[in-house]
Amino acid sequence: MLARGLLAAAREGLNVAPSMTRSISTVKLPDMPYDYGALEPYISGHIMELHHTKHHAAYVANLNKALEQQAEAEAKGDVSKIISLQSAIKFNGGGHINHDIFWTNLIPAKDFAPPSGELKAQIEAQWKSLDNFIATFSAQTAAVQGSGWGWLGYNKGTGRLEIATMANQDPLSMTGLVPLLGIDVWEHAYYLQYKNVRPDYIKAVWNVVNWKNVADRLAAAKK
Amino acid sequence: MAFELPPLGYDYASLEPHVDAMTMNIHHTKHHQAYINNLNGALDKFPELKDLGIVDINKAVGTDKLPAEVATVIRNNGGGHYNHTFFWKVMTNPSNTNGPSGAVKEAIETAFGSVDEMKTKFNAAAAGRFGSGWAWLGVKADGSLAISSTPNQDNPLMSSLPDTAAMTPILGLDVWEHAYYLKYQNRRPEYIAAWWNVVNWEQVTANFEAAKAGSVPL
């Protein structure tokens, strides 16, 4: 209630402290943990730069715009408008969430280390071997129709890891799974380098997966 | 009889500089070919479906005419084969086309006010399709023109699908990233604007006449 009043007051030019007028959340484009070229030759620097500065940046900008419009609609009590904004929030919010995770899931090849400890044990318990897990994940991810993602997720209810695919920018959280590792298979993620050969891209990505990040996410999910 | 990749009808470079030759080449020889291969593979188990022809296969999507086992593969790849076969024909070298005229121009003006307003609406449908899909200009059951967009390889022939408005397409635009990424990267609106230069209006007119006569152009 207070925030709504402040927003309305600010719009009328009344003297309210600027820091108090924005009651809405905004998201920021995160910095990359490595240079754009650091994942070469597996993912080209050109792709990484476009992917971050154009695609992810657009999701951030469009999400912020939609959230701002939603706040204004809430202040006016315009429920129809709020409803009409939901698909933009889902598309762009999902895009932001997914890419935010993705950049941390990758690491330059020179720093690559295979999974170890609890993560390795759990993968082997469920899929018999890391190779079998990778083959299964890769096949399901390559088979995504149109745009989407392949995910390794954690099921808090069963305590098990699960492979899942999601369409468009639908976040894995929609399934209740906790996202651990995602591979983006929208064509923008690979086309300039791999053209139509999505399986070659997926095969290459395994060289730059940051398994420590995946393990950290699993440990956090298990708390 | 298995489905085959139709020839493009023009050189891969014919649509330059608006659609680049490498994209046309990969789009035709790799993407479209893959849809055909996958469709033929699915239909090997159900050869009687091949006799339906690609238009009726598309119309059967979402109905129990398609066995559950192959329903999704047919939706994706039967849709992909129709859509791309249709798409190559509604494009041509800019020197081969003269813009909308006659009955189709009148129909556009009746439905949208003007050709420019139709393009504005079409552009919005094309740019606003999130993820992969197509934008369409088509003839509705009542004979009027309308614009829609569909996800992935769906199309307005698939009217039995819950969210698909029935239309006979007369013009369509592929907005999957593979259709434009090599030249335009993330700049889909720029691709859409450039694409109008290569629309084959004579084919669109033929499609319109076929649709009005009750048949589905291909």
Side-chain angles (χ1 to χ4, degrees):
Chain A
M1 285 280 283
L2 177 64
R4 260 189 239 137
L6 286 171
L7 200 56
R11 224 179 292 111
E12 285 167 38
L14 295 181
N15 187 21
V16 287
S19 59
M20 293 178 79
T21 56
R22 286 211 102 188
S23 61
I24 55 166
S25 53
T26 54
V27 304
K28 269 189 59 181
L29 183 69
D31 290 330
M32 297 295 278
Y34 34 75
D35 289 341
Y36 291 126
L39 306 184
E40 301 245 3
Y42 305 104
I43 306 179
S44 75
H46 190 198
I47 286 178
M48 291 303 291
E49 185 169 2
L50 284 168
H51 207 168
H52 183 240
T53 64
K54 305 292 184 192
H55 293 276
H56 189 175
Y59 293 130
V60 167
N62 291 334
L63 175 63
N64 285 335
K65 194 171 106 189
L67 290 176
E68 189 166 340
Q69 289 176 332
Q70 181 172 253
E72 284 174 20
E74 279 180 64
K76 290 193 200 124
D78 186 348
V79 178
S80 295
K81 178 73 176 164
I82 294 173
I83 291 169
S84 76
L85 290 165
Q86 295 313 300
S87 61
I89 290 172
K90 181 179 175 182
F91 293 156
N92 294 290
H96 172 55
I97 288 170
N98 293 338
H99 290 83
D100 202 34
I101 295 170
F102 190 45
W103 310 136
T104 70
N105 280 166
L106 303 173
I107 199 167
K110 62 174 173 61
D111 301 322
F112 175 85
S116 60
E118 211 175 305
L119 174 62
K120 176 173 194 255
Q122 195 154 357
I123 287 175
E124 286 172 347
Q126 290 189 225
W127 283 280
K128 298 204 174 81
S129 69
L130 180 64
D131 279 351
N132 189 41
F133 162 74
I134 287 175
T136 308
F137 186 116
S138 300
Q140 286 191 40
T141 300
V144 167
Q145 289 297 314
S147 307
W149 292 69
W151 289 99
L152 174 65
Y154 176 69
N155 184 324
K156 283 179 118 118
T158 62
R160 285 171 68 80
L161 301 174
E162 289 181 31
I163 294 170
T165 58
M166 303 296 288
N168 293 338
Q169 293 297 350
D170 291 356
L172 188 67
S173 56
M174 285 172 66
T175 64
L177 295 173
V178 177
L180 305 179
L181 169 65
I183 296 187
D184 187 355
V185 288
W186 280 61
E187 287 170 329
H188 65 239
Y190 60 89
Y191 209 82
L192 292 179
Q193 186 174 1
Y194 293 95
K195 313 299 191 299
N196 60 300
V197 196
R198 189 191 270 179
D200 280 1
Y201 154 71
I202 295 169
K203 189 156 180 255
V205 172
W206 293 109
N207 292 286
V208 290
V209 165
N210 184 345
W211 286 108
K212 181 169 183 308
N213 178 264
V214 180
D216 288 346
R217 289 180 180 276
L218 178 60
K222 282 184 166 173
K223 283 214 189 80
Chain B
M1 209 193 79
F3 291 105
E4 283 179 4
L5 184 68
L8 202 60
Y10 40 82
D11 292 341
Y12 292 122
S14 290
L15 309 185
E16 290 264 10
H18 312 292
V19 185
D20 59 294
M22 188 181 288
T23 292
M24 289 304 293
N25 185 325
I26 298 174
H27 206 172
H28 183 241
T29 64
K30 307 289 183 193
H31 292 277
H32 190 178
Q33 184 69 67
Y35 292 124
I36 290 167
N37 295 344
N38 294 338
L39 178 63
N40 284 336
L43 295 182
D44 272 347
K45 300 180 202 131
F46 303 96
E48 69 279 10
L49 291 177
K50 282 189 204 173
D51 298 332
L52 279 182
I54 193 59
V55 169
D56 284 345
I57 285 174
N58 273 258
K59 286 184 169 180
V61 169
T63 74
D64 55 20
K65 274 210 192 96
L66 300 182
E69 185 189 330
V70 287
T72 299
V73 175
I74 289 178
R75 176 178 178 174
N76 293 331
N77 296 283
H81 178 39
Y82 173 83
N83 294 343
H84 289 83
T85 302
F86 176 89
F87 189 46
W88 311 137
K89 293 171 84 163
V90 296
M91 294 191 293
T92 190
N93 185 292
S95 65
N96 289 342
T97 182
N98 285 313
S101 62
V104 81
K105 184 165 187 243
E106 274 175 45
I108 289 172
E109 287 166 347
T110 301
F112 304 103
S114 67
V115 172
D116 277 349
E117 284 171 72
M118 180 278 287
K119 286 183 180 181
T120 299
K121 280 210 155 70
F122 189 101
N123 294 344
R129 168 48 58 179
F130 193 77
S132 306
W134 290 73
W136 305 98
L137 175 67
V139 177
K140 296 196 297 188
D142 67 3
S144 66
L145 287 179
I147 286 166
S148 71
S149 77
T150 50
N152 293 345
Q153 293 299 346
D154 290 355
N155 57 55
L157 297 178
M158 300 178 180
S159 55
S160 296
L161 292 175
D163 294 319
T164 303
M167 289 198 310
T168 301
I170 67 171
L171 178 63
L173 174 60
D174 190 347
V175 291
W176 282 59
E177 286 173 328
H178 65 238
Y180 61 90
Y181 209 83
L182 293 182
K183 182 177 169 78
Y184 294 98
Q185 289 88 58
N186 60 302
R187 304 181 310 278
R188 191 195 281 186
E190 210 179 298
Y191 157 67
I192 298 166
W195 170 79
W196 286 108
N197 290 294
V198 300
V199 167
N200 183 342
W201 287 105
E202 286 70 20
Q203 183 63 49
V204 175
T205 300
N207 292 345
F208 176 69
E209 277 154 18
K212 295 287 271 185
S215 68
V216 175
L218 192 54

